[in-house]
């Protein structure tokens, strides 16, 4: 995490309005309960995973939903704004500036700097906001863990480790393997 730039007001939590005034400098700025989280630009393997997910999910996504790569603000509250690596949302919930409310599916691709935030903080906040599906990709393992909201809690519904191909049926059907997402050569 970085310190709040001096142009921001001190003594109060930051808001989405404050976040909108951040510079476009290649970093990812997010808010959790008014606290600024700053992430560096992603690495090539990370972006490979994101690109392959967007391609595969777009092929099977229902027409009333849209699949988009980061950066897209997901506004869960005035003081909590995330930028998932891949987001699937109802087209009607996207504004010109953001996706308002929880997405249908949020996907995070771990990096050494974001792993704990993805596994704990974002998972908890998305669960509380009612995001029905949350997927986590670990490019180093490689693994893909698909979580679905069941009775207010995330439950693991599918896992791909290495080259194991899985068929995920929610929020729509798609076949994926963790290795296929990270491989230097498309499968």
């Amino acid at each position: 995490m970085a310190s709040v730039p001096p142009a921001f007001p001190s003594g109060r939590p930051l808001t989405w309005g404050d976040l909108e005034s951040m510079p476009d400098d290649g970093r990812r700025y997010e808010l959790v309960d008014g606290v600024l989280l700053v992430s560096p630009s992603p690495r090539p393997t990370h972006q490979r995973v994101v690109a392959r997910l967007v391609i595969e999910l777009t092929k099977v996504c229902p027409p009333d939903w849209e699949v988009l790569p980061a950066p897209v603000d997901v506004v869960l509250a005035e003081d909590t704004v995330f930028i998932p690596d891949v987001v699937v949302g109802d087209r009607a919930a996207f504004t010109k500036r953001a996706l308002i409310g929880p997405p249908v599916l949020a996907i995070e691709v771990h990096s050494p700097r974001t792993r704990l935030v993805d596994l704990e903080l974002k998972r908890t906040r998305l669960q509380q906001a009612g995001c029905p599906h949350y997927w986590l990709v670990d490019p180093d393992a490689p693994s893909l863990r698909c979580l679905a909201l069941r009775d207010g809690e995330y439950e693991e519904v599918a896992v791909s480790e290495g080259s194991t191909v899985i068929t995920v049926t929610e929020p729509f059907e798609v076949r994926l393997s963790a290795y296929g997402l990270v491989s230097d050569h498309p499968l």
Side-chain angles (χ1 to χ4, degrees):
M1 280 194 257
S3 62
V4 176
F8 279 140
S10 62
R12 71 162 174 80
L14 297 176
T15 66
W16 184 35
D18 296 324
L19 196 63
E20 287 286 290
S21 68
M22 292 297 298
D24 186 7
D25 60 5
R27 292 187 181 105
R28 192 177 291 190
Y29 295 95
E30 300 174 284
L31 287 179
V32 178
D33 298 332
V35 176
L36 185 66
L37 302 177
V38 182
S39 302
S41 337
R43 302 292 182 236
T45 300
H46 180 281
Q47 291 305 89
R48 179 182 304 125
V49 171
V50 168
R52 291 193 180 149
L53 282 165
V54 168
I55 290 167
E56 293 305 313
L57 295 177
T58 298
K59 290 178 188 177
V60 296
C61 184
D64 53 333
W65 293 346
E66 186 163 14
V67 179
L68 294 173
V72 174
D73 286 354
V74 173
V75 181
L76 298 178
E78 186 61 24
D79 67 351
T80 302
V81 180
F82 289 141
I83 303 174
D85 292 315
V86 178
V87 64
V88 178
D90 188 314
R91 287 183 189 276
F94 285 100
T95 69
K96 290 184 182 203
R97 295 174 43 207
L99 173 66
I100 307 300
V104 172
L105 168 63
I107 304 173
E108 294 293 351
V109 180
H110 299 320
S111 72
R113 293 182 193 112
T114 65
R115 180 178 305 277
L116 187 58
V117 170
D118 295 345
L119 289 172
E120 299 295 330
L121 186 62
K122 287 186 177 184
R123 176 183 171 150
T124 300
R125 289 298 195 274
L126 287 164
Q127 179 176 281
Q128 290 169 344
C131 174
H133 302 279
Y134 185 48
W135 296 359
L136 299 155
V137 180
D138 183 342
D140 295 329
S143 69
L144 165 63
R145 295 177 51 220
C146 303
L147 309 176
L149 202 57
R150 304 282 192 257
D151 298 322
E153 300 281 329
Y154 279 130
E155 177 182 302
E156 195 169 86
V157 294
V159 176
S160 171
E161 293 179 336
S163 60
T164 303
V165 176
I166 58 172
T167 300
V168 182
T169 58
E170 300 176 71
F172 39 78
E173 191 168 312
V174 63
R175 289 175 46 87
L176 298 167
S177 79
Y179 180 75
L181 297 174
V182 302
S183 171
D184 289 345
H185 304 286
L187 300 179

